[in-house]
């Protein structure tokens, strides 16, 4: 989806996702050609889809430029969800909420009915996401939540997730298999455990998992179809398996 020169493979994945009944599509202005790839396939299905993208701009004008470009690439006149991308530092929050900050673009776009919902995303520092959720009534948050994340000394599972749940904010989970690292060295047995754990966390509503092929997409879809919430004993067993491997499976927490 986000790799240059793979338009045919991207189109095949998108089309297969629609065939399977997937209706939630997440992208971002920074994801290479991802928006353009989606824009080549999704328009005929637009009324049936939930389309989400993101801006990394922290100022109003920059965010508006991103939004206009995203709409053009996606070949749509509206978004279901527009998110502030990878918010990592207090200084970013201060800029976002300043007089000329990106929050102004969100409010203006919502008032003009260009966007339905607003969100904040991050995988670096949960305290910053919590501060954002406390500061503004976002509709959603997209945060890293996997079976190893709970062991991190500053965990999204134990800090950001409860705040979102208390505020009735939609939670979209990411980094579910830690880019496949959770399946290495016998930590977890497969996606059924990785996805099963994350979707069983109280307050999580859905998850986004990138696929490298149609085959992988289909495998993930089957896991999602078969999902049943894990009980506390099953959750604890998975947490025990990831306890010694949390550092290599939360490496993305360093990204800003």
């Amino acid at each position: 989806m986000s790799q240059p020169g793979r338009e045919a493979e991207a189109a095949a994945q998108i089309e297969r996702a629609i065939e399977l009944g997937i209706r939630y599509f997440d992208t971002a202005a920074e994801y290479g050609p991802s928006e353009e790839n989606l824009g080549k396939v999704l328009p005929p299905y637009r009324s049936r889809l939930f389309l989400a993208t993101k801006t990394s701009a922290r100022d109003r004008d920059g965010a508006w430029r991103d939004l206009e470009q995203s709409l053009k690439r996606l070949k749509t006149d509206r978004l279901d969800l527009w998110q502030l991308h990878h918010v990592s530092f207090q200084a970013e929050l201060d800029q976002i909420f300043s007089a000329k900050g990106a929050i102004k673009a969100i409010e203006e776009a919502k008032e003009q009915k260009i966007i339905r919902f607003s969100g904040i995303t991050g995988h670096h520092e949960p305290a910053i996401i919590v501060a954002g959720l406390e500061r503004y009534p976002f509709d959603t948050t997209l945060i890293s939540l996997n079976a190893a994340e709970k062991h991190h000394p500053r965990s999204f599972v134990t800090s950001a997730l409860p705040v979102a749940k208390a505020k009735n904010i939609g939670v979209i989970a990411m980094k579910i298999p830690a880019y496949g690292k959770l399946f290495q060295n016998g930590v977890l047995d497969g996606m059924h455990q990785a996805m099963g754990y994350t979707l069983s966390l109280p307050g999580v509503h859905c998850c986004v998992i990138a696929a490298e092929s149609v085959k992988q997409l289909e495998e993930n879809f089957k896991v999602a179809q078969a999902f049943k919430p894990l009980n506390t004993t099953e959750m604890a067993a998975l947490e025990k398996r990831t306890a010694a491997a949390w550092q290599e499976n939360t490496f993305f927490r360093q990204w800003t």
Side-chain angles (χ1 to χ4, degrees):
M1 288 290 293
S2 59
Q3 296 177 16
R6 298 190 65 184
E7 293 85 357
E9 294 97 322
Q13 268 204 52
I14 299 163
E15 288 166 356
R16 184 59 179 139
I18 292 170
E19 289 174 1
L20 291 170
I22 293 170
R23 294 292 179 264
Y24 184 102
F25 289 85
D26 175 272
T27 184
E30 283 193 353
Y31 291 169
S34 176
E35 288 184 332
E36 291 173 332
N37 286 331
L38 287 167
K40 292 173 183 175
V41 180
L42 295 185
Y45 310 96
R46 182 66 187 90
S47 63
R48 297 153 51 192
L49 306 177
F50 190 100
L51 186 57
T53 193
K54 315 178 188 76
T55 175
S56 298
R58 306 309 185 212
D59 64 299
R60 174 204 175 273
D61 292 351
W64 262 113
R65 284 193 293 271
D66 275 356
L67 179 57
E68 289 165 356
Q69 285 297 312
S70 289
L71 294 172
K72 184 177 179 180
R73 287 189 288 258
L74 289 163
K75 292 185 173 62
T76 186
D77 60 357
R78 67 196 187 284
L79 296 174
D80 295 294
L81 172 62
W82 193 32
Q83 304 158 100
L84 296 170
H85 199 178
H86 57 69
V87 182
S88 304
F89 303 106
Q90 184 62 45
E92 291 181 290
L93 278 181
D94 292 341
Q95 185 180 4
I96 286 165
F97 293 109
S98 67
K100 295 183 179 180
I103 203 66
K104 300 298 182 185
I106 284 177
E107 291 176 339
E108 291 163 5
K110 188 176 277 193
E111 185 177 338
Q112 295 175 37
K113 301 190 184 304
I114 297 173
I115 68 171
R116 289 175 61 199
F117 303 113
S118 66
I120 184 171
T121 85
H123 44 62
H124 178 63
E125 184 55 65
I128 298 301
I129 300 300
V130 169
L133 297 179
E134 297 282 5
R135 199 162 175 174
Y136 188 81
F138 289 105
D139 300 294
T140 68
T141 185
L142 169 65
I143 51 178
S144 55
L145 298 166
N146 66 35
E149 170 68 33
K150 188 171 183 178
H151 303 294
H152 195 285
R154 300 182 314 282
S155 171
F156 280 94
V157 173
T158 56
S159 57
L161 184 56
V163 171
K165 187 174 186 294
K167 290 180 171 292
N168 197 31
I169 291 167
V171 175
I172 308 130
M174 60 175 163
K175 313 299 190 234
I176 313 305
Y179 297 89
K181 285 187 177 292
L182 270 172
F183 308 143
Q184 298 174 6
N185 303 315
V187 179
L188 293 184
D189 297 334
M191 190 63 81
H192 62 290
Q193 292 181 336
M195 196 189 306
Y197 179 88
T198 299
L199 289 180
S200 298
L201 289 169
V204 172
H205 298 95
C206 65
C207 65
V208 288
I209 303 175
E212 295 179 353
S213 66
V214 170
K215 181 176 182 291
Q216 193 175 75
L217 169 69
E218 292 172 341
E219 290 170 351
N220 291 344
F221 175 78
K222 289 178 182 177
V223 171
Q225 261 194 324
F227 167 73
K228 292 181 180 178
L230 304 182
N231 59 41
T232 54
T233 301
E234 292 168 323
M235 295 286 279
L238 293 180
E239 289 168 359
K240 185 176 181 180
R241 291 181 64 164
T242 59
W246 69 265
Q247 287 178 297
E248 55 264 43
N249 286 288
T250 56
F251 63 93
F252 46 81
R253 290 288 303 272
Q254 301 172 39
W255 300 350
T256 59

